[in-house]
């Protein structure tokens, strides 16, 4: 895998254009292969694979941001996906996950799964900040909010070998 950040997601050079670049929301790109366990009886990827790949990208993103403490305190409250093309066992997939919006206690991601022939799935996933024993959501700490809104593209990861 080319370990550089995709050109469309590259941070702007400070001072380029008309002034300093505005902080960019975080994003990450990961690569995987469609594993046998990702496929269904028809031989192509099972619909649930898109969720697992989006969650794998989320884990890479949060680790890259130094926000490991969020694991276990950000339950999913929404997931949706549009399936655009089939992926088959062994296909290389590239998953891009972007922070779309940060609410008072919510976090909304957008993702795209690309296969050998282009986009295969797109979707959104939402989580809320809530301790495991809490009965409701908790606002983001200011430093966490800053990281979730201003950190820009993170280092890509590949297990596609």
């Amino acid at each position: 895998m080319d370990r550089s950040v995709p050109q469309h997601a590259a941070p702007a050079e400070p001072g380029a254009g008309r002034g300093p670049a505005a902080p960019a929301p975080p994003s990450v790109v990961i690569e995987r292969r469609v594993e046998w366990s990702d496929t269904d009886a028809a031989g192509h990827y099972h619909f649930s694979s898109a969720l697992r790949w989006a969650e794998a990208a989320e884990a890479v993103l949060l680790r890259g941001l130094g926000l490991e403490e969020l694991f276990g305190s950000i339950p999913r409250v929404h997931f949706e996906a549009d399936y655009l093309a089939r992926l088959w066992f062994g296909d290389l997939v590239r998953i891009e996950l972007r922070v779309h919006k940060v609410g008072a206690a919510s976090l909304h991601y957008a993702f795209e799964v690309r296969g050998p022939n282009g986009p295969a799935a797109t979707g959104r996933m939402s989580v809320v900040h809530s301790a495991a024993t809490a009965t409701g959501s908790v606002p983001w700490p200011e430093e966490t909010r800053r990281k979730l809104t201003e950190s820009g593209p993170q280092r890509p990861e590949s297990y596609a070998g």
Side-chain angles (χ1 to χ4, degrees), residues 139-157:
W140 299 110
E142 192 51 44
E143 179 63 12
T144 301
R145 173 179 286 288
R146 187 190 64 71
K147 288 180 179 182
L148 292 172
T149 57
E150 301 178 2
S151 297
Q154 300 297 298
R155 182 180 191 88
E157 178 182 90

Side-chain angles (χ1 to χ4, degrees), residues 88-111:
W88 304 93
F89 172 67
D91 280 350
L92 179 65
V93 291
R94 182 179 179 98
I95 302 94
E96 180 179 3
L97 180 83
R98 299 172 306 285
V99 170
H100 176 70
K101 179 182 173 187
V102 180
S106 61
L107 175 57
H108 306 271
Y109 297 108
F111 68 88

Side-chain angles (χ1 to χ4, degrees), residues 30 34 38 45 49-57 87 93 95 113:
I30 65 170
V34 176
D38 294 327
Y45 75 117
S49 299
L51 171 59
R52 284 194 314 278
W53 293 329
E55 286 184 325
L87 296 169
V93 291
I95 302 94
V113 177

Side-chain angles (χ1 to χ4, degrees), residues 20-111:
S27 63
V28 72
V29 172
I30 65 170
E31 284 188 340
R32 301 291 190 265
R33 291 232 176 247
V34 176
E35 299 293 337
W36 185 247
S37 59
D38 294 327
T39 64
D40 63 14
H44 55 80
Y45 75 117
H46 189 266
F47 75 92
S48 64
S49 299
L51 171 59
R52 284 194 314 278
W53 293 329
E55 286 184 325
E58 178 190 30
V60 171
L61 180 67
L62 293 178
R63 284 186 189 109
L65 296 174
L67 295 174
E68 295 91 342
E69 73 275 4
L70 293 181
F71 295 118
S73 65
I74 51 171
R76 279 86 187 89
V77 295
H78 182 82
F79 179 82
E80 66 182 72
D82 293 313
Y83 298 91
L84 309 171
R86 292 180 180 182
L87 296 169
W88 304 93
F89 172 67
D91 280 350
L92 179 65
V93 291
R94 182 179 179 98
I95 302 94
E96 180 179 3
L97 180 83
R98 299 172 306 285
V99 170
H100 176 70
K101 179 182 173 187
V102 180
S106 61
L107 175 57
H108 306 271
Y109 297 108
F111 68 88

